[in-house]
């Protein structure tokens, strides 16, 4: 059974085939915050207000006012995902919207493609390297043609992509209102283990070892050797988890983006995302975005299999040595991501 079908079944919602979609209203604070109060689908919410490329339809029009009269199962699935985010934001408003106002500096993860009217919020450890490559091809105006020919290091050079925080506030407002906004998410603990494996078990990541590894060992390891304190390259997963749940850690500074919560990186309770892609259905969801952008004929999401990918089974093994207390505390840190993106609490968790 396909992951997308399993997700629909797991959502346990009544999904009605509606004739139309609604994007929602906008409230100007510093810039537009998309309303989370309009999950019902209605046709043609735009009229003549949406400005798109001459002779073409914008991605928002393709999503909310499709050429085909009947909604596809894919469109219904993504509506359910939007509803899940909206419902979670309302149910947990005290946690999800602690900050009533965002500033442009909060938008540094939102990558903009002017040519195709797209805004992509990148989340590290959720195929963001390949999606940055795709955004470079889409916005490069012919400079790039094959995303996999772009070195990973080049994809992460900030100057190669434009982010929403680089615009003026009126320009931010206009793009949030008229561009298709999307992000990709992953089971939170699988993403966390992936970040740990990449940043703390690979010998080449010396900057992370020095910046975070030495600090973690100093705080969490009793009788640490001087070599370990100096190098910081042998952090254990149990020590990493203890560092994350330590209240002092978040008081000191925000989490690094590789283990920061998705709702803190992309602010989905303030910005209404039109599409929520998932790592479990990565290829299908990515190609759906490309089709909406009118690039599906010439561009496809890279399909190569990564042999070192962090799996659910691997994540289960990593959590075997984590105490029940730390498991429960860690779940609370990432609870909104679990709920917002419809991930069940893992069966291996020893929640008290």
């Amino acid at each position: 059974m396909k992951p997308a079908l399993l997700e629909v079944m797991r959502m346990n919602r009544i999904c009605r085939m509606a004739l139309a979609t609604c994007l929602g209203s906008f409230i100007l604070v510093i810039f537009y915050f998309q309303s989370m109060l309009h999950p019902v689908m209605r046709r043609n919410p735009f009229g003549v207000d949406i400005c798109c490329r001459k002779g073409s339809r914008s991605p928002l029009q393709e999503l909310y006012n499709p050429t085909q009269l009947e909604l596809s199962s894919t469109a219904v699935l993504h509506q359910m995902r939007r509803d899940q985010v909206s419902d979670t934001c309302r149910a947990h408003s005290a946690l999800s919207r602690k900050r009533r106002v965002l500033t442009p500096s909060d938008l540094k993860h939102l990558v903009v493609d002017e040519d195709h009217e797209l805004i992509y919020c990148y989340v590290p450890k959720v195929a963001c390297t390949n999606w940055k490559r795709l955004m470079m091809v889409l916005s490069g105006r012919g400079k790039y043609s094959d995303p996999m020919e772009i070195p990973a290091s080049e994809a992460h050079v900030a100057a190669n992509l434009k982010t929403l925080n680089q615009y003026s506030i009126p320009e931010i407002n206009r793009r949030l209102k008229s561009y298709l906004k999307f992000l990709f998410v992953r089971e939170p603990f699988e993403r966390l283990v992936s970040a740990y494996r990449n940043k703390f078990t690979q010998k080449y990541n010396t900057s992370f070892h020095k910046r975070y590894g030495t600090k973690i060992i100093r705080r969490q390891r009793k009788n640490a050797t001087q070599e370990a304190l100096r190098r910081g390259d042998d952090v254990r997963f149990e020590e990493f988890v203890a560092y994350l749940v330590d209240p002092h850690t978040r008081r000191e500074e925000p989490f690094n983006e590789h283990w920061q919560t998705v709702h803190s990186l992309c602010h989905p309770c303030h910005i209404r995302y039109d599409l929520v892609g998932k790592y479990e259905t990565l290829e299908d969801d990515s190609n759906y975005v490309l089709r909406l952008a009118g690039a599906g004929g010439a561009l496809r999401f890279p399909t190569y299999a990564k042999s070192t990918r962090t799996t659910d089974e691997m994540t289960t093994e990593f959590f075997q040595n984590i105490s029940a207390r730390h498991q429960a505390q860690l779940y609370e840190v990432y609870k909104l991501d679990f709920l917002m993106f419809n991930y069940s609490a893992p069966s291996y968790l020893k929640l008290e």
Side-chain angles (χ1 to χ4, degrees):
M1 190 174 292
K2 290 186 176 181
L5 181 57
L6 289 171
E7 180 186 354
V8 171
M9 296 171 64
R10 192 171 62 247
M11 301 270 301
N12 194 25
R13 300 173 59 92
I14 298 176
C15 180
R16 300 193 174 200
M17 298 295 288
L19 295 177
T21 55
C22 174
L23 179 62
S25 61
F26 297 89
I27 303 172
L28 184 63
V29 182
I30 286 183
F31 47 81
Y32 284 102
F33 294 139
Q34 282 86 338
S35 171
M36 305 303 291
L37 304 178
H38 303 276
V40 180
M41 302 180 83
R42 280 205 311 250
R43 281 187 67 80
N44 194 16
F46 305 114
V48 296
D49 293 333
I50 290 293
C51 177
C52 57
R53 302 179 302 282
K54 185 176 181 180
S56 65
R57 289 161 54 82
S58 75
L60 276 186
Q61 287 174 317
E62 288 296 337
L63 176 64
Y64 290 107
N65 186 16
T67 305
Q68 299 168 332
L69 291 179
E70 292 190 8
L71 296 171
S72 68
S73 59
T74 302
V76 171
L77 172 64
H78 284 283
Q79 176 64 42
M80 294 173 72
R81 289 178 181 176
R82 287 192 294 274
D83 289 351
Q84 180 73 18
V85 173
S86 300
D87 293 348
T88 304
C89 289
R90 284 195 296 270
H92 300 270
S93 58
L95 287 175
S96 64
R97 302 191 68 176
K98 285 183 178 179
R99 298 179 57 192
R100 292 295 174 181
V101 176
L102 300 181
T103 65
S105 64
D106 294 307
L107 306 177
K108 61 185 179 181
H109 274 248
L110 277 70
V111 177
V112 180
D113 169 20
E114 298 281 359
D115 293 343
H116 299 85
E117 301 183 358
L118 299 174
I119 295 176
Y120 159 57
C121 184
Y122 73 88
V123 177
K125 309 313 298 177
V126 193
C128 77
T129 301
N130 278 348
W131 254 109
K132 284 182 177 181
R133 286 169 164 150
L134 284 172
M135 294 296 282
M136 288 174 70
V137 173
L138 289 168
S139 60
R141 302 188 179 185
K143 184 178 180 181
Y144 307 99
S145 58
D146 182 355
M148 295 313 293
E149 290 182 354
I150 302 173
S153 57
E154 189 173 342
H156 293 294
V157 174
N160 286 335
L161 291 166
K162 194 161 187 178
T163 50
L164 197 58
N165 63 308
Q166 296 173 280
Y167 293 86
S168 69
I169 289 174
E171 289 173 328
I172 290 172
N173 291 340
R174 183 174 70 81
R175 284 161 180 80
L176 282 175
K177 183 176 182 180
S178 60
Y179 284 17
L180 185 142
K181 300 162 293 296
F182 67 100
L183 75 161
F184 279 80
V185 300
R186 185 177 185 176
E187 201 278 342
F189 286 170
E190 185 179 298
R191 174 176 169 246
L192 187 66
V193 170
S194 178
Y196 166 77
R197 292 180 63 221
N198 178 248
K199 301 306 176 186
F200 295 109
T201 69
Q202 303 297 323
K203 295 303 180 184
Y204 59 80
N205 267 322
T206 55
S207 61
F208 270 82
H209 302 159
K210 293 290 187 182
R211 174 73 177 81
Y212 295 100
T214 55
K215 181 188 300 184
I216 293 171
I217 291 172
R218 186 171 65 252
R219 290 184 183 174
Q220 305 300 333
R221 187 179 302 178
K222 294 181 179 179
N223 303 316
T225 66
Q226 289 301 310
E227 181 74 1
L229 291 169
R230 183 178 66 84
R231 295 175 62 90
D233 62 353
D234 65 342
V235 173
R236 302 163 190 149
F237 186 66
E238 305 93 283
E239 295 169 336
F240 178 54
V241 169
Y243 164 78
L244 294 176
V245 301
D246 183 349
H248 178 73
T249 299
R250 298 191 93 171
R251 285 198 301 266
E252 183 181 57
E253 61 181 348
F255 279 175
N256 178 274
E257 63 177 9
H258 291 84
W259 48 85
Q260 180 61 282
T261 60
V262 175
H263 71 266
S264 296
L265 293 175
C266 297
H267 312 287
C269 290
H270 292 84
I271 298 171
R272 181 169 170 79
Y273 285 89
D274 305 293
L275 290 176
V276 176
K278 290 198 168 186
Y279 195 74
E280 296 78 13
T281 51
L282 177 62
E283 188 176 343
D284 288 345
D285 293 342
S286 296
N287 290 327
Y288 182 52
V289 173
L290 293 173
R291 287 199 305 273
L292 291 172
L299 196 59
R300 303 282 292 176
F301 189 81
T303 58
Y304 78 98
K306 193 174 182 180
S307 59
T308 58
R309 176 185 178 276
T310 300
T311 63
D312 180 63
E313 292 77 13
M314 194 179 297
T315 303
T316 302
E317 291 180 14
F318 270 88
F319 271 83
Q320 285 182 348
N321 295 325
I322 305 301
S323 69
R325 180 171 67 89
H326 278 175
Q327 286 189 13
Q329 290 173 331
L330 193 67
Y331 180 78
E332 286 301 313
V333 172
Y334 292 93
K335 181 177 180 179
L336 274 182
D337 281 2
F338 275 100
L339 298 175
M340 196 171 290
F341 305 117
N342 199 39
Y343 289 109
S344 302
S347 57
Y348 57 77
L349 279 193
K350 301 184 284 281
L351 295 178
E352 297 174 343

